[in-house]
């Protein structure tokens, strides 16, 4: 056996849970670009770069007539998006090359890296929450990733603690299978926000487009050039669709042992929190939520992400449901702690 050959017994007891394949590494390189950053780059390039192109001597640039200056903006934007995607892909492919996740008694172990090899452990006793992430491209291909948030330092890559990638990318059903092997949450069915929440999203997006167009108009007046200030208004017909997608990809699930929240369209995050890891449960209402009788329930844990406000959140819950949900999670916390103490007591007898 491996232990008889001189390897530690702990190594012999480990079980490989996941090894990234060449195909999955290629998918990771493809989907790893920040979709939100790409969309911002597209908007900025569409608005500002055509102006730069019109101010540039296109005959010197292209050796053709002045009319090709109008192609400068779209071509530069496309080139920037491609360059950004390639850079993200190469970086992530080298970081997660040869990624392996294994289970040993009381912990998970991982190794990864091409240019520099990283290894570390994830103590199961310190797991605070699981996060299943899928951006819009990964979701279309049927892939997702899994991160594990722990309390304190992980002892892995230097002093990096708090959140570790357990599965950088894999088929979505495989990711859920691995997540359930760590925290058996099952297949949650989410309760979406009330449909009137879509009105709030539509007003937010339309207002943002109006503000952006107004700022560009003011800037155009100040500099005397043409900034295509009306370009953001072209997206107004898409506002209802964007509001619906935002509403569709939000929700929460209250199970027997876990609470799960879902948020985000461009980058969707499902956060699984065991009740016994809950630190506090907060309910809040912004001015804009109060107008539509909505609220937010925040489930706080001892993980490092809580410090930066990346808690599990049930957003835009009906105001009448907010308090009931908060109390239900709090009651489930005490029941979960009581059951754990009972099991520990029985085990000591």
């Amino acid at each position: 056996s491996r232990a008889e050959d001189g390897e530690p017994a702990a190594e012999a007891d480990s079980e490989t849970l996941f090894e990234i394949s060449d195909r999955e590494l290629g998918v990771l390189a493809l989907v790893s670009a920040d979709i939100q950053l790409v969309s911002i780059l597209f908007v900025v390039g569409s608005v500002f770069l055509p102006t730069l192109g019109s101010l540039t001597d296109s005959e010197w640039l292209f050796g053709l007539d002045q009319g090709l200056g109008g192609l400068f903006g779209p071509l530069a934007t496309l080139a920037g998006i491609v360059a950004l995607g390639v850079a993200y892909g190469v970086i992530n492919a080298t970081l997660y090359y040869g990624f392996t996740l294994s289970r040993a008694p009381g912990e998970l172990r991982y190794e990864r890296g091409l240019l520099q090899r990283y290894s570390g452990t994830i103590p199961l006793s310190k797991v605070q929450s699981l996060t299943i992430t899928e951006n819009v491209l990964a979701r279309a291909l049927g892939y997702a990733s899994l991160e594990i948030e722990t309390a304190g330092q992980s002892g892995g890559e230097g002093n990096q603690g708090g959140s570790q990638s357990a599965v950088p990318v894999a088929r979505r059903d495989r990711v859920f299978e691995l997540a359930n092997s760590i925290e058996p949450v099952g297949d949650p069915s989410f309760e979406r926000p009330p449909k009137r929440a879509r009105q709030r999203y539509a007003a937010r997006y339309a207002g943002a487009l109006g503000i952006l167009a107004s700022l560009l108009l003011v800037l155009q007046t100040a500099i005397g050039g043409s900034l295509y200030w009306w370009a953001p208004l072209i997206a107004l017909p898409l506002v209802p669709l964007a509001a619906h997608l935002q509403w569709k990809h939000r929700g929460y699930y209250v199970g027997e042992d876990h609470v799960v929240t879902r948020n985000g369209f461009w980058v969707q995050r499902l956060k699984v929190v065991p009740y016994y890891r809950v630190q506090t449960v907060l309910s809040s209402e912004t001015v804009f939520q109060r107008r539509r009788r909505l609220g937010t329930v925040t489930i706080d844990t001892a993980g490092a992400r809580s410090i930066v406000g990346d808690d599990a959140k049930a957003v835009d819950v009906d105001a009448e449901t907010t308090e009931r949900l908060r109390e239900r999670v709090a009651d489930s916390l005490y029941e979960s702690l009581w059951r754990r103490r009972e099991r520990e007591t029985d085990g000591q007898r």
Side-chain angles (χ1 to χ4, degrees), residues 81-144:
I81 292 174
V82 171
L84 181 66
V86 170
Y88 267 96
V90 171
I91 292 172
N92 280 281
T94 54
L95 285 177
Y96 290 99
Y97 178 85
F99 183 94
T100 302
L101 180 72
S102 59
R103 185 197 294 270
E107 65 183 18
L108 298 175
R109 299 171 181 171
Y110 64 88
E111 293 184 2
R112 65 180 177 86
L114 177 62
L115 302 179
Q116 183 176 356
R117 197 68 179 169
Y118 297 97
S119 62
T121 60
I122 306 173
L124 293 175
S125 61
K126 292 188 176 182
V127 172
Q128 301 296 304
S129 65
L130 308 181
T131 303
I132 298 174
T133 305
E134 47 187 6
N135 63 31
V136 65
L137 182 55
R139 188 162 62 247
L141 297 175
Y143 284 81

Side-chain angles (χ1 to χ4, degrees), residues 1 8 15 85 109 138 186 229 242 246 266 308 328-329:
S1 66
E15 172 194 1
R109 299 171 181 171
W229 64 268
Q246 178 82 328
W266 292 109
V308 296
R328 183 176 177 184
V329 173

Side-chain angles (χ1 to χ4, degrees), residues 293-345:
R293 306 186 312 282
L294 301 171
T296 296
V297 177
T298 302
I299 299 98
D300 182 38
T301 66
R305 284 192 166 188
S306 299
I307 300 175
V308 296
D310 193 18
D311 292 304
K313 295 181 180 180
V315 182
D316 290 333
V317 179
D318 186 272
E320 297 179 357
T321 307
T322 301
E323 292 302 317
R324 291 201 300 269
L325 177 59
R326 181 178 62 82
E327 293 174 1
R328 183 176 177 184
V329 173
D331 292 342
S332 298
L333 162 63
Y334 299 128
E335 292 175 4
S336 178
L337 292 174
W338 180 80
R339 289 197 301 267
R340 288 177 64 84
R341 281 196 293 267
E342 286 290 312
R343 286 196 296 266
E344 291 174 358
T345 303

Side-chain angles (χ1 to χ4, degrees), residues 137-313:
L137 182 55
R139 188 162 62 247
L141 297 175
Y143 284 81
S145 63
L146 173 66
E147 290 185 0
I148 300 178
E149 185 180 2
T150 57
Q153 299 295 328
S154 66
E157 302 154 20
N159 271 336
Q160 181 182 355
S163 181
Q164 298 295 334
S165 177
V167 179
V169 72
R171 298 294 303 182
R172 194 173 188 271
D173 55 353
R174 177 62 172 149
V175 170
F176 270 90
E177 179 184 345
L178 287 170
N180 273 288
S181 71
I182 301 170
E183 288 292 343
V185 69
D187 186 15
S189 55
F190 291 94
E191 181 73 22
R192 291 196 182 111
K195 291 184 177 181
R196 63 178 179 276
R198 289 184 293 195
Q199 301 172 4
R200 175 168 123 81
Y201 306 147
R204 178 195 300 173
Y205 297 145
L209 293 174
I211 291 173
L212 180 58
S214 300
L215 291 175
L216 290 175
L217 180 59
V218 171
L219 185 59
Q220 174 180 290
T221 304
I223 67 176
S226 177
L227 288 180
Y228 299 91
W229 64 268
W230 43 265
L233 302 180
I234 297 177
L236 279 176
L238 298 177
V239 165
L241 176 61
H244 174 76
L245 291 175
Q246 178 82 328
W247 170 82
K248 181 181 178 182
H249 290 87
R250 272 189 169 159
Y252 67 91
Y253 166 76
V254 180
E256 182 178 351
D257 299 308
H258 304 80
V259 58
V260 187
T261 63
R262 178 181 66 184
N263 289 288
F265 167 70
W266 292 109
V267 180
Q268 180 175 273
R269 290 183 173 88
L270 276 67
K271 296 187 74 72
V272 179
V273 181
Y275 288 127
Y276 68 91
R277 292 303 189 188
V278 175
Q279 296 290 306
T280 57
V281 189
L282 309 172
S283 58
S284 61
E285 298 177 0
T286 66
V287 174
F288 302 104
Q289 285 179 318
R290 197 175 301 123
R291 292 180 56 192
R292 290 184 169 83
R293 306 186 312 282
L294 301 171
T296 296
V297 177
T298 302
I299 299 98
D300 182 38
T301 66
R305 284 192 166 188
S306 299
I307 300 175
V308 296
D310 193 18
D311 292 304
K313 295 181 180 180

